[in-house]
Amino acid sequence: MAFKRNRRSPLAAIIVMAAGLALTGGGYAAATSAVEAAKPVSAIATAEQVTEGKKLFAANCASCHGKKGEGSSGSNVVPSLIGVGAASVDFQVATGRMPGQASGPQLEKKKPQFTAEQISQMAAYVASLGEGPAIPTDAMVAADGDSANGNTLFRINCAMCHNAVGAGGALTHGKWAPALDGVEARHVYEAMLTGPQNMPVFNDANLSPKDKKDIITYLKYVEETPSMGGYELASLGPVVEGLFTWVFILGFIIAITIWLGAKSN
Amino acid sequence: MSNAVAEKKKPGFAAGAANYLDERVGAGGILKEFGRKVFPDHWSFMLGEVALYSFVVLLLSGTFLTFFYQPSMEFVIYDGSYGPLKGTEMSIAYASSLDISFDVRGGLLMRQVHHWSALLFVAASGLHMLRVFFTGAFRKPREINWLVGFMLFVLGMAAGFTGYSLPDDLLSGNGLRIIDGMIKGIPVIGAYGSSLLFGGEFPGEYIVARLYGLHILLVPALILIFIAIHLFMVVIHKHTHYSGPGRTDSNVVGYPLMPVYVAKAGGFFFIVFGVIMLISATFTINPIWNYGPYDPSPVSAGTQPDWYIGWLDGALRLAPSHWEFVAFGGTWSMNILIPMIVGIGFLVIVAAYPFIEAWVTQDKREHHVLDRPRNAPTRTGIGAAGVTFYAVLWAGAATDLIATNFKVSLNQVLTSMQILLIVGPIVAYIITKRACLALQRKDREIVLHGRETGRIVRLPHGEYLEVHEPLGEFEQWKLIDFKDYQPTLARPNSKGKITINARIRAAVSRIYFEDRIIPVTQTELDAARHDHPEAIEAPVEQEAKQITQ
Ligand code: HEM
């Protein structure tokens, strides 16, 4: 289970889960309606969380995003965080993208700099600024959907940037779509929901929560199923296969011939 | 008759069969003639064989695949063992390829054997071709065989491309889409050509079955015929050899084909076969289940053809996309046409090279001794330029992977490659040619003055000398045995006129041979021996070593 690697403290997980349960009456029904889930999560975030989040935000994020998260449109455009929702903060900070560091064409992933608790506090604060997508519940991102449907949807919606098995690919002008191997299910969901940087948003009208769950199921299938034909050459396709042929197969055979020749002389 | 048999030991099966054949088709004579053929020993002579043996493996594994593969583009709902495609609509061709992979015993191994040996087949032919080029083995009388070999290389590409498209997965479909675009890019006939090939609008319902016919029938048959011609000519011409004492343009030094060579070759087949099996059992190739069924809308990142088509894909990628204009009531897609012309032009030059060089040198003699690449500096330089050109185009097919894996901008990679495509070959030519000349100069030096030993000797009268160790005759021969061409002048013909042909030839000949190192002559050698009396003792010792070996 991907959740074993979860960096949230158990307490935070319980709070988020409790929030999800409280909202849906403990039902699986939450999976069908992420949009509605948005309100209550921020609603039930405790006032304490929001104040803590506000402090953290002022210390770490306000320099770029403004004191109230209003963003800036000066020489350095920084987006406003009003209405981006808890999901966006959770994705950006928990994958280590935020706080941003000035860099090339695309902000890179780093080691996450905050604890799960701090992240949920900042998420609660940003969610309090304006309504936006909430963090999905564990049930919504569980990899127990329909992998075949997920496969088809992934091929149609994501493969052109992320490669058919999520090995990643190049975009224009130094931007790239990262490899999806090892990305936590929750972050996959949030990425679709919020569309970070050069990735489009796939809202719930576009890909229903069930579709999103199916896509996660497919990605987890690819990640967890050992390759069927032996070692995979980084799933990078024919170019790597060609290089492998020249360097290793042909090289190996030539080495054998030279060795045999040397022996016979 | 019966008495004779009774008296003698009963002949074994092989002997019996040989006798049977001999009495009816005179096979003994053929075999005797063939068996006396001599085949020299050098690893670079084995590359052609690697190609031959991988072709045999292709035939065997391909035949296995035909038992299960169905070339139909009708739709079915997949219900095989691969979970993430269950219930997905796909062509029968794709479904049967998936079944080969997951539900036929040994099927996945055979698919991988077939595909890895396809890559190896073309790679080995390519390297073999480079060996022939850089050693000048294509010179008279082997020009025709160069053409035959060239056809084999092109047919290998054709076999690979038609095969690659058979599983009808997303990747191969994208490849076909590119071909469709290329055909449509040809002015006037393009659109007709495309609908002829695909039987209507792309992708249509026929293309897989048509490619299948080409892939298992026409192309392999042509390859077989060309291989037969190729080997037949090798037997007629006899093999070339590297220079050495006793090796001349009128003999061949090596082992007789029978039995030494045939035994070795048999062993070598199993080595190649074994390596292919080992790789196929351990490394995935073309995991079609990852790509999904073909559907014209999605395109996956990292879409590339097999390596041997890569250079053509690269040519398309490197062409600036704004080279397209509208005129005379049609769209002229120069960004497609120019890469096609460049690709075909490159192939034509490769095919024609032996004739071009023969025209420049006007050398009508037969050559059986190979050149060391450094002794033909211009040819080697041209070869290096060609290899660079091809390599840049090839790398052009991987621009996206280069961009992501080395964290550079895709657009920068494209621009640098466009520049490299023009500048690279020129630089490669100059550097290689200069390097060859420098190496030749060094050889001359070594032949005349021997090898520096680093041993300093003080003579009785106080003079210091570094001892130069002269070469043994074997080595020396290698360094001095090459032909010196000189630039030809544009001479008037019998009518007293200097033709344009002659002028052009004189100009090209100047490029080829203006800078050259003249091989060491006997007089120079004698003079050198005279100058270095201290070197005289050593060669005797060296030669003795050579003989006792
Ligand atoms: C001459 C050299 C040949 C080359 C370079 C070649 C190459 C290829 C390639 C690259 C594929 C795609 C394999 C995959 O990944 O699925 C393929 C498929 C196939 N080839 Fe060949 N092939 C050759 C000869 C043959 C011969 C002689 C036969 C039959 C007698 C054959 C039968 C097949 C079949 C049935 C398939 C489809 C199998 C599948 O897609 O699973 N091939 N070939």
Side-chain angles (χ1 to χ4, degrees), chain B residues 322-328 330-334:
Chain B
H322 55 78
W323 282 357
E324 200 173 62
F325 58 87
V326 179
F328 309 112
T331 305
W332 299 78
S333 306
M334 287 312 183

Side-chain angles (χ1 to χ4, degrees), chain B residues 55 58-59 62 97 111 114-115 118 159-160 163 166-167 215-216 223 286:
Chain B
F55 181 68
L58 275 168
L59 282 179
S97 303
R111 267 196 61 237
H114 195 67
H115 208 135
L166 293 182
H215 184 74
I216 66 160
I223 291 183
N286 202 17

Side-chain angles (χ1 to χ4, degrees), chain A residues 1-262:
Chain A
M1 270 292 285
F3 273 73
K4 283 192 189 131
R5 277 177 273 139
N6 204 327
R7 287 193 190 82
R8 276 184 303 179
S9 76
L11 184 65
I14 291 167
I15 292 174
V16 174
M17 264 195 267
L21 290 175
L23 151 76
T24 56
Y28 182 73
T32 52
S33 162
V35 179
E36 273 168 33
K39 268 184 253 168
V41 170
S42 51
I44 61 156
T46 61
E48 192 199 343
Q49 267 190 312
V50 174
T51 13
E52 283 302 311
K54 187 169 178 179
K55 279 191 218 151
L56 282 168
F57 189 87
N60 297 294
C61 323
S63 57
C64 294
H65 286 286
K67 276 200 208 80
K68 294 204 173 75
E70 71 276 10
S72 89
S73 49
S75 55
N76 265 337
V77 182
V78 180
S80 154
L81 297 186
I82 298 166
V84 301
S88 184
V89 175
D90 187 49
F91 175 82
Q92 297 282 349
V93 184
T95 61
R97 286 178 168 80
M98 287 293 144
Q101 250 165 29
S103 67
Q106 182 168 309
L107 288 174
E108 291 195 41
K109 259 173 120 159
K110 303 179 295 291
K111 212 171 151 310
Q113 302 184 2
F114 296 93
T115 63
E117 191 178 356
Q118 290 170 319
I119 296 171
S120 63
Q121 288 165 345
M122 283 187 282
Y125 169 66
V126 170
S128 76
L129 298 174
E131 233 168 69
I135 299 168
T137 63
D138 286 356
M140 289 161 78
V141 301
D144 55 8
D146 174 358
S147 65
N149 184 44
N151 186 358
T152 308
L153 290 171
F154 189 83
R155 199 158 52 243
I156 295 171
N157 294 295
C158 325
M160 65 282 235
C161 296
H162 286 286
N163 167 308
V165 282
L171 304 178
T172 51
H173 299 289
K175 292 173 244 164
W176 75 96
L180 301 182
D181 191 43
V183 177
E184 274 179 38
R186 195 174 86 251
H187 298 150
V188 176
Y189 197 103
E190 289 166 347
M192 290 188 266
L193 207 55
T194 63
Q197 299 194 68
N198 300 296
M199 173 164 158
V201 174
F202 295 89
N203 63 30
D204 287 350
N206 233 319
L207 288 175
S208 72
K210 180 187 170 303
D211 289 342
K212 292 197 174 84
K213 188 186 173 77
D214 290 347
I215 289 179
I216 291 170
T217 309
Y218 169 66
L219 284 174
K220 292 297 155 195
Y221 179 95
V222 170
E223 199 175 300
E224 281 156 20
T225 316
S227 157
M228 283 158 266
Y231 284 105
E232 274 173 334
L233 302 168
S235 294
L236 288 179
V239 170
V240 181
E241 290 162 4
L243 282 177
F244 186 84
T245 307
W246 274 89
V247 177
F248 291 101
I249 309 188
L250 204 50
F252 189 37
I253 291 177
I254 290 174
I256 293 176
T257 21
I258 293 178
W259 178 65
L260 287 178

